[in-house]
């Protein structure tokens, strides 16, 4: 009888098959053998199973009904905002651009700054780049937030009412056809 003893590497490669296809071990009994013999692979499979079970239970939270409106308002505000000054633009360029082609030059400049001015100059620059002012919500966004809270409160109230009067007006509300 020729049974190739499966090793751990093979087994780990086929863990998704073993996890998702219940009939897989029937077609490939060598994995069943290996799992029976190897505690490490058995644990790995069990852990994967429990993770998947957890993911099945998980429900994505419902997004706020005002999400789109609020996003559009913010975008419109950003477009309508006055253009940033030179310093602001330079700062966001260094903060957010990948700036691949600039990196060697920047590294040289920083090394130079460190050589000449010691750590203090760099520390000041670094501090300035990291202390961005917080973005304040506009009146519109605040209004939308309040409306959102109101809707949530109303939903909770309705739920409470539904729970306390389970079928108060059944019968009466059913249309006759
Ligand atoms: Zn193994």
């Amino acid at each position: 009888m020729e049974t190739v003893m499966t090793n751990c590497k093979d087994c780990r490669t086929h863990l998704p098959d073993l996890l998702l296809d219940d009939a897989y071990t029937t077609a490939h009994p060598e994995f069943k053998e290996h799992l029976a013999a190897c505690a490490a692979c058995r644990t790995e499979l069990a852990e994967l199973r429990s993770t998947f079970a957890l993911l099945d239970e998980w429900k994505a939270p419902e997004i706020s009904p005002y999400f789109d409106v609020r996003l559009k308002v913010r975008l419109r505000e950003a477009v309508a905002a006055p253009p940033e000054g030179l310093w602001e633009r330079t700062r966001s360029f260094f903060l957010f651009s990948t700036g691949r082609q600039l990196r060697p030059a920047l590294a040289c400049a920083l090394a130079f700054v460190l050589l000449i001015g010691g750590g203090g100059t760099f520390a000041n620059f670094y501090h300035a780049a990291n202390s961005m002012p917080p973005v304040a919500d506009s009146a519109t966004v605040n209004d939308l937030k309040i409306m959102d809270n109101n809707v949530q409160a109303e939903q909770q109230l309705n739920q409470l009412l539904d729970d306390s009067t389970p079928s108060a007006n059944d019968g009466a509300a059913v249309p006759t056809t």
Side-chain angles (χ1 to χ4, degrees):
M1 190 169 145
E2 289 178 47
T3 36
V4 183
M5 189 62 187
T6 319
N7 61 20
C8 286
K9 202 179 159 207
D10 253 9
C11 188
R12 301 287 162 109
T13 316
H14 287 94
L15 274 180
D17 298 317
L18 293 163
L19 178 73
L20 300 172
D21 187 3
D22 289 331
Y24 195 76
T25 44
T26 339
H28 303 266
E30 69 269 21
F31 290 115
K32 199 175 189 172
E33 267 172 45
H34 180 80
L35 282 171
C38 174
C41 287
R42 220 164 38 229
T43 317
E44 188 80 20
L45 185 61
E47 278 173 1
L48 266 177
R49 275 213 178 103
S50 56
T51 308
F52 265 65
L54 251 178
L55 282 174
D56 282 343
E57 272 173 32
W58 187 73
K59 256 175 76 182
E62 218 169 296
I63 60 161
S64 144
Y66 296 111
F67 179 84
D68 285 342
V69 187
R70 225 185 286 162
L71 181 67
K72 274 177 198 152
V73 169
R74 275 188 192 252
L75 283 175
R76 228 178 295 137
E77 272 167 10
V79 170
E84 291 170 337
L86 179 65
W87 166 241
E88 200 61 33
R89 268 181 292 156
T90 318
R91 207 173 69 173
S92 37
F93 175 77
F94 281 114
L95 276 178
F96 303 120
S97 85
T98 50
R100 216 167 257 285
Q101 70 279 24
L102 269 175
R103 265 180 206 162
L106 194 66
C108 284
L110 280 177
F112 186 70
V113 165
L114 281 172
L115 270 175
I116 300 300
T121 323
F122 173 69
N124 282 340
F125 174 77
Y126 188 76
H127 181 72
N130 274 306
S131 58
M132 285 186 78
V135 180
D137 286 345
S138 74
T140 329
V141 172
N142 277 334
D143 283 353
L144 284 167
K145 271 185 188 165
I146 292 167
M147 279 168 79
D148 201 17
N149 287 341
N150 286 345
V151 167
Q152 274 176 7
E154 202 191 322
Q155 278 171 352
Q156 281 165 358
L157 246 166
N158 282 339
Q159 247 172 18
L160 282 174
L161 287 173
D162 280 353
D163 287 348
S164 56
T165 54
S167 54
N169 55 359
D170 273 6
V174 174
T176 46
T177 45

